[in-house]
Amino acid sequence: MKQSIGERLFQIFNYTLLFLLAATMIAPLLQLLAVSFSSPIAADSKEVFLIPVEFTLDTWKHILQNEVLWRAFGVTVFITIVGTILSMLFTVLTAFPLSRKDFLLRKPIMLMMVLTMIFNAPMIPFFLTVREVGLMDSIWALIIPGLVSTFNMVIVRTFFLGIPSDLDDAARIDGCNEFRLLFQIYLQLSKPVLATIGLFYAVGYWNTFKTAVLFLRNPDLWPLQMRLRAFFTSEEELAAVDLIMGDFDFNTTTLKAATIIFATIPIVLVYPYLQKYFVKGAVLGSLKE
Amino acid sequence: MDGHIKNEQVMAEKNGFWDRFNQNSFIKNVRKHWMLYLMILPGIIYYIIFKYIPLMGSVIAFQDFQIFKGLFASPWVGLENFKHLLHYQDFHEVLRNTALIALYQLVFQFPAPIILALLFNEIRILIVKKTVQSLFYLPHFLSWVVVGGIVFELLASQGIVNAIREMLGFEPILFMQEEAYFRTIVVISGVWKEIGWGTIIYLAAITAINPSLYEAAVIDGANRFKQTIYITLPLLLPTISVLFLLNIGNFLELGFDQIFNLLTPMTYSVGDIIETYVYRAGVLQGQYSLTTAIGLFQSVIGFALLWIFNRLARKSEQGLW
């Protein structure tokens, strides 16, 4: 097809603009990666531009020996695995009856759940309720109060509704009850959507922050994000680092950069899988009924 | 017109539901499908405890709630807390900050993904499109703690932004400590994190457009630009309108995580928003009733805006209900 000069100019402009913007999406992380491998003197004298200057592993050695950080990492891994499994289970168990025409309370219950997407409770009554339930300073406070995401539940339900009902009849003739129907037939057919919401939940748990701010006073229970935040803001923790610094080749600038990268690596590692599924999920969730 | 038909349908469904209910078939239904009821029970309990009880708990906004007396023994004070708010200096400041940042977000952050989606749509080379898109989606998956950390590091006195300023011969600026830059930083970091993710729904809507429309336009001599203006954009309007409505309902809810992780005591005067204030005054200092009143105020404004804009949307396009 022939293009006018104007269109060709636009194409050049468009490609340039998008490449530049796309570069800004990844450049901040690359810059911090470079800083984390640079000497503190180079980092503080503004010499580092995307490539490490005076390459050193000291910052990373220190980070990877930091027990407090690993403890927080452990908490996050725990809530990510256990939380994702529990959330998936609760979501699927809730979505399935809501997709069944045989289920008489389908409409009112669905309405009750979707309404919470519009009317969500203010922070304080939510806080007081969770405290009343006895979850203050418990690791379960990071999982249970946010167990089911209505958005994800609607995605799964929409998918279940799309499964042809001939299958049900066949299953029923074979004497298959509703639990087996869900777990042996529906879930087998829903693997892509389960992968999608599983990844949504997992990323959500990995990034858990607000619930930790609200409910955890005990620093031993802090998840990774909370620990990072403390590390960025509290001078004492940084001072403790400076005290033991001695001969080592790092400072708070390089340490902060390294902790940011540390918390990002797992996300980047699962990113290719994430990407495979999330587009589908984001679109499915937006379907109106 | 549309709404009328919808209403009738709802009525019909309601009648159907109650008819079946009245015929005592409910008990039969439970007997026959007890497994479905068992399955949904944990979900219902979850929604009641963590969604509805806190929602009902909002009534402490009309009480002088004392934690040791509890919900039932605390004295009722009517609208006292709300009256108090109106004369409360902190509240004025926090409300102004919230409304301004919300407005900036609506003006800059909302249209950004629409424009980006249209630009993506002009990329013809598939592999380039995919690569560029994957880069744009990445920041969505980072937490605000991480993004906040990145922003602080890059804008620090020894950060890369000041390094570039120095190379160009400018004085370094402590961006995060200056009130003048705070809202700009909030908007830019918000756009950076969510612009790519926001395109997904629009791109899906663009894919759904019938290609014959474009073919017809080409025959009529429309170039790409005209096709975008006269075909793509108008057909995106329903999607835009729905997303706008979903957005406006949460107008004053800016997202605790973002502001909390960018705020420093130096920038409270311009950046302290309802959610961060409620956290400090409510959760940390225990002014439960007053801060719940603020939260309730926020929800009511959100719902009022949603209702108004939904009415407007129904006149031209389609609303949420």
Side-chain angles (χ1 to χ4, degrees):
Chain A
M1 199 168 64
K2 258 190 154 182
Q3 284 185 322
S4 71
I5 293 174
E7 278 178 29
R8 229 176 286 167
L9 276 178
F10 171 76
Q11 285 290 337
I12 293 168
F13 164 78
N14 192 24
Y15 275 82
T16 317
L17 180 74
L18 289 181
F19 276 130
L20 283 178
L21 286 177
T24 68
M25 295 290 142
I26 193 77
L29 287 172
L30 294 179
Q31 170 68 8
L32 294 186
L33 188 66
V35 168
S36 75
F37 283 112
S38 299
S39 78
I41 298 162
D44 275 349
S45 57
K46 310 175 191 175
E47 287 169 23
V48 182
F49 282 98
L50 299 173
I51 297 162
V53 175
E54 297 172 23
F55 185 87
T56 169
L57 290 173
D58 279 7
T59 304
W60 279 98
K61 275 184 196 152
H62 181 76
I63 287 289
L64 297 179
Q65 282 169 4
N66 186 330
E67 274 174 32
V68 177
L69 195 64
W70 280 112
R71 189 183 171 82
F73 183 83
V75 170
T76 296
V77 168
F78 174 81
I79 60 164
T80 304
I81 294 173
V82 176
T84 305
I85 292 171
L86 285 178
S87 287
M88 298 275 283
L89 186 67
F90 269 67
T91 304
V92 164
L93 285 178
T94 309
F96 184 68
L98 294 178
S99 74
R100 309 296 294 172
K101 300 215 165 47
D102 314 337
F103 184 57
L104 205 56
L105 295 179
R106 186 167 59 109
K107 288 227 158 79
I109 292 178
M110 183 71 189
L111 184 69
M112 159 195 160
M113 290 181 178
V114 170
L115 273 183
T116 63
M117 290 170 100
I118 300 174
F119 299 102
N120 39 25
M123 186 194 280
I124 296 299
F126 178 66
F127 168 77
L128 293 174
T129 306
V130 174
R131 192 162 79 172
E132 213 52 35
V133 173
L135 289 175
M136 243 358 227
D137 266 325
S138 151
I139 198 169
W140 296 101
L142 304 179
I143 296 177
I144 294 173
L147 201 53
V148 179
S149 138
T150 309
F151 181 82
N152 288 350
M153 194 273 288
V154 172
I155 291 181
V156 176
R157 173 179 175 266
T158 309
F159 193 87
F160 283 165
L161 282 173
I163 293 176
S165 56
D166 321 3
L167 273 174
D168 299 7
D169 301 336
R172 202 164 298 137
I173 291 164
D174 289 347
C176 184
N177 69 36
E178 280 150 342
F179 266 102
R180 282 183 55 199
L181 185 67
L182 169 60
F183 284 100
Q184 293 184 349
I185 297 174
Y186 272 64
L187 292 194
Q188 301 305 318
L189 292 169
S190 316
K191 278 179 187 156
V193 80
L194 294 180
T196 307
I197 65 149
L199 287 165
F200 281 163
Y201 276 128
V203 172
Y205 281 116
W206 185 266
N207 288 338
T208 290
F209 176 68
K210 192 177 171 184
T211 43
V213 172
L214 288 178
F215 306 125
L216 301 185
R217 300 281 176 269
N218 176 3
D220 284 345
L221 295 174
W222 281 357
L224 190 57
Q225 306 296 336
M226 192 70 181
R227 176 53 61 194
L228 284 190
R229 160 84 189 176
F231 200 54
F232 296 155
T233 51
S234 114
E235 292 298 320
E236 302 103 72
E237 257 175 82
L238 297 180
V241 167
D242 284 328
L243 281 180
I244 56 157
M245 230 160 62
D247 303 331
F248 297 108
D249 213 6
F250 55 76
N251 68 359
T252 52
T253 309
T254 62
L255 283 175
K256 276 185 195 170
T259 46
I260 291 171
I261 300 296
F262 179 84
T264 312
I265 289 170
I267 298 275
V268 174
L269 286 183
V270 300
Y271 190 60
Y273 301 96
L274 262 178
Q275 219 194 347
K276 192 170 155 197
Y277 292 111
F278 67 55
V279 177
K280 230 176 280 164
V283 176
L284 258 180
S286 68
L287 286 183
K288 248 201 331 169
E289 278 199 69
Chain B
M1 171 60 193
D2 212 32
H4 188 66
I5 292 171
K6 252 190 230 163
N7 272 345
E8 267 183 6
Q9 274 175 349
V10 171
M11 292 290 279
E13 273 164 13
K14 258 190 198 153
N15 282 340
F17 174 72
W18 287 113
D19 283 351
R20 272 181 284 158
F21 207 92
N22 290 341
Q23 281 160 15
N24 215 1
S25 61
F26 176 64
I27 299 199
K28 261 190 220 155
N29 188 262
V30 176
R31 280 223 180 115
K32 191 167 173 216
H33 299 288
W34 61 273
M35 279 186 180
L36 295 178
Y37 288 84
L38 192 63
M39 276 181 205
I40 206 157
L41 195 63
I44 300 233
I45 292 172
Y46 167 78
Y47 272 87
I48 289 176
I49 295 182
F50 292 105
K51 306 277 184 189
Y52 278 89
I53 289 182
L55 213 52
M56 305 302 163
S58 303
V59 298
I60 66 170
F62 305 99
Q63 286 185 331
D64 177 16
F65 180 73
Q66 284 145 20
I67 195 80
F68 297 108
K69 288 190 181 167
L71 187 67
F72 297 104
S74 291
W76 293 90
V77 295
L79 292 173
E80 208 50 48
N81 289 312
F82 293 91
K83 275 184 202 155
H84 186 59
L85 277 185
L86 292 179
H87 306 289
Y88 195 42
Q89 197 51 45
D90 283 7
F91 178 65
H92 289 273
E93 188 175 283
V94 165
L95 185 63
R96 194 193 61 218
N97 291 341
T98 311
L100 273 177
I101 295 176
L103 194 67
Y104 293 150
Q105 285 189 344
L106 199 66
V107 173
F108 296 104
Q109 214 166 316
F110 182 75
I114 303 172
I115 298 166
L116 187 64
L118 293 178
L119 294 180
F120 276 157
N121 196 38
E122 296 305 314
I123 299 187
R124 287 296 123 83
I125 308 164
L126 201 64
I127 183 135
V128 174
K129 195 170 171 178
K130 287 252 182 267
T131 316
V132 170
Q133 279 175 330
S134 350
L135 287 175
F136 270 98
Y137 298 150
L138 180 64
H140 171 78
F141 295 99
L142 306 179
S143 73
W144 270 113
V145 180
V146 165
V147 176
I150 292 173
V151 170
F152 268 94
E153 281 286 275
L154 297 183
L155 296 179
S157 61
Q158 75 279 10
I160 194 169
V161 174
N162 274 318
I164 293 169
R165 283 182 63 85
E166 202 167 78
M167 276 190 334
L168 299 173
F170 295 107
E171 290 287 303
I173 296 175
L174 287 172
F175 288 97
M176 298 312 291
Q177 280 84 21
E178 296 252 1
E179 293 174 356
Y181 299 106
F182 184 79
R183 291 176 188 146
T184 316
I185 291 168
V186 167
V187 170
I188 293 177
S189 60
V191 170
W192 181 78
K193 190 171 183 293
E194 301 299 340
I195 187 173
W197 184 253
T199 60
I200 293 180
I201 285 174
Y202 294 115
L203 287 172
I206 290 175
T207 323
I209 295 173
N210 188 344
S212 65
L213 290 171
Y214 292 109
E215 285 157 20
V218 169
I219 292 167
D220 288 344
N223 61 23
R224 293 288 315 176
F225 182 71
K226 283 195 170 149
Q227 290 170 36
T228 304
I229 296 295
Y230 294 112
I231 299 175
T232 315
L233 215 46
L235 289 174
L236 273 185
L237 222 51
T239 312
I240 295 174
S241 138
V242 166
L243 288 181
F244 181 82
L245 289 173
L246 290 176
N247 241 298
I248 204 85
N250 301 325
F251 183 65
L252 291 181
E253 283 159 51
L254 307 176
F256 173 83
D257 284 17
Q258 178 184 13
I259 306 293
F260 190 73
N261 281 300
L262 293 173
L263 206 57
T264 65
M266 268 87 86
T267 46
Y268 277 170
S269 62
V270 290
D272 198 16
I273 58 159
I274 290 180
E275 282 155 296
T276 50
Y277 181 79
V278 166
Y279 168 70
R280 285 204 319 279
V283 175
L284 297 184
Q285 292 164 20
Q287 301 185 50
Y288 298 125
S289 282
L290 189 71
T291 47
T292 303
I294 299 181
L296 211 55
F297 175 83
Q298 181 183 25
S299 309
V300 169
I301 297 273
F303 188 71
L305 285 171
L306 179 63
W307 190 77
I308 293 168
F309 279 93
N310 189 60
R311 282 196 75 111
L312 291 176
R314 260 167 50 184
K315 277 192 184 140
S316 50
E317 290 286 328
Q318 56 169 132
L320 278 185
W321 67 83

